[in-house]
């Protein structure tokens, strides 16, 4: 029987996995789209886009206005960090993983301009050994580049690594890198993340420690 090496490194998506940023993100969409006089496609439509690069999302609404829409979005988020909150028990779970000697990295497609601050205001920043934001890799998830960058910063290999996330982009990026994946059903992707066959599934962040075999 083939035995996989034990988990030593955990890469975690931020929005919808560590942080409940539904209002933080959807209100930013609403603000930016209204500010530029465009028709709002609705919350369900916009929520389904989360996980894709912000520039790509806005380009589908109005290619010429994409840079201005992105700027309005990020400015709103800078001014409304209170809308980003950690899911209950997140700090405790990350602390347990660290106590077991695991290396942790946050890997997000959100700009460093707001991602680092969100982790700071929610009290999670100090629990990570590395944070990889949109500007830190040559491509965004589902490309494996951000995950590869996180492992490089940590000085870790792929054998003992796992990617935890709530969207298809997270699971596909992990698979592309050849690492194990944990799908989160409580985030933006909901149960649709199951369509991509993650190696394990959790319904709440408190289940992560057991899902990793600890």
């Amino acid at each position: 029987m083939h035995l996989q090496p034990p988990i030593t490194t955990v890469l975690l998506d931020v929005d919808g996995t560590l942080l409940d940023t539904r209002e933080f993100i959807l209100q930013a969409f609403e603000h930016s789209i209204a500010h530029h006089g465009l028709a709002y496609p609705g919350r369900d439509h916009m929520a389904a886009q989360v996980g894709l690069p912000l520039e790509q999302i806005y380009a589908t609404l109005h290619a010429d206005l994409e840079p201005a829409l992105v700027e309005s979005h990020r400015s709103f988020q800078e001014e409304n960090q209170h809308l980003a909150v950690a899911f209950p028990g997140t700090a405790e779970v990350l602390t347990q993983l660290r106590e077991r000697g695991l290396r942790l990295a946050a890997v997000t497609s959100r700009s460093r301009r707001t991602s680092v601050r969100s982790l700071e205001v929610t009290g999670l920043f100090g629990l990570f050994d590395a944070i990889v934001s949109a500007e830190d890799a040559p491509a965004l998830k589902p490309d494996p580049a951000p995950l590869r960058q996180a492992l490089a910063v940590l000085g870790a290999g792929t054998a003992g690594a796992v990617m935890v996330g709530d969207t298809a982009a997270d699971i596909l990026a992990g698979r592309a890198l050849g690492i194990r994946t944990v799908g989160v059903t409580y985030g933006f992707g909901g149960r649709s993340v199951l369509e991509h066959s993650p190696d394990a599934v959790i319904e709440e962040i408190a289940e992560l420690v057991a899902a990793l075999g600890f």
Side-chain angles (χ1 to χ4, degrees):
M1 181 175 68
H2 175 66
L3 295 177
Q4 290 186 315
I7 298 295
T8 57
T9 309
V10 186
L11 312 180
L12 299 111
D13 171 59
V14 174
D15 297 314
T17 299
L18 299 172
L19 303 183
D20 181 353
T21 49
R22 185 172 178 82
E23 291 304 316
F24 181 73
I25 291 175
L26 294 181
Q27 287 191 35
F29 279 134
E30 290 163 356
H31 166 82
S32 183
I33 291 169
H35 180 73
H36 291 281
L38 302 179
Y40 188 62
R43 282 195 155 203
D44 289 345
H45 175 84
M46 299 310 297
Q49 310 306 306
V50 175
L52 297 173
L54 192 59
E55 292 81 1
Q56 181 180 332
I57 296 172
Y58 277 121
T60 64
L61 296 179
H62 198 300
D64 292 341
L65 289 177
E66 177 260 308
L69 287 161
V70 169
E71 176 58 31
S72 295
H73 186 107
R74 289 178 175 154
S75 293
F76 176 89
Q77 290 185 326
E78 282 182 315
E79 297 166 5
N80 291 276
Q81 286 284 345
H82 65 283
L83 295 174
V85 297
F87 284 109
T90 298
E92 290 80 359
V93 167
L94 296 178
T95 298
Q96 289 180 50
L97 295 178
R98 288 181 64 86
E99 289 174 346
R100 286 164 170 77
L102 276 69
R103 289 167 290 185
L104 307 181
V107 184
T108 178
S109 294
R110 187 140 54 92
S111 171
R112 191 185 313 115
R113 182 171 154 185
T114 62
S115 62
V116 171
R117 184 59 181 153
S118 289
L119 292 172
E120 289 174 342
V121 300
T122 54
L124 303 182
F125 178 83
L127 296 172
F128 289 99
D129 302 295
I131 297 172
V132 175
S133 300
E135 299 87 348
D136 300 324
L140 301 179
K141 299 175 290 186
D143 191 286
L147 284 61
R148 189 178 295 113
Q149 174 65 15
L151 293 179
V153 172
L154 295 173
T158 57
V162 61
M163 177 68 202
V164 183
D166 67 309
T167 69
D170 299 311
I171 305 306
L172 293 173
R175 184 172 298 125
L177 192 60
I179 66 175
R180 284 165 279 183
T181 57
V182 176
V184 167
T185 64
Y186 55 82
F188 284 98
R191 301 196 69 79
S192 68
V193 74
L194 303 180
E195 298 170 8
H196 304 282
S197 302
D199 296 300
V201 178
I202 60 174
E203 306 284 342
E204 56 184 25
I205 190 69
E207 297 174 359
L208 182 58
V209 176
L212 296 179
F214 295 99

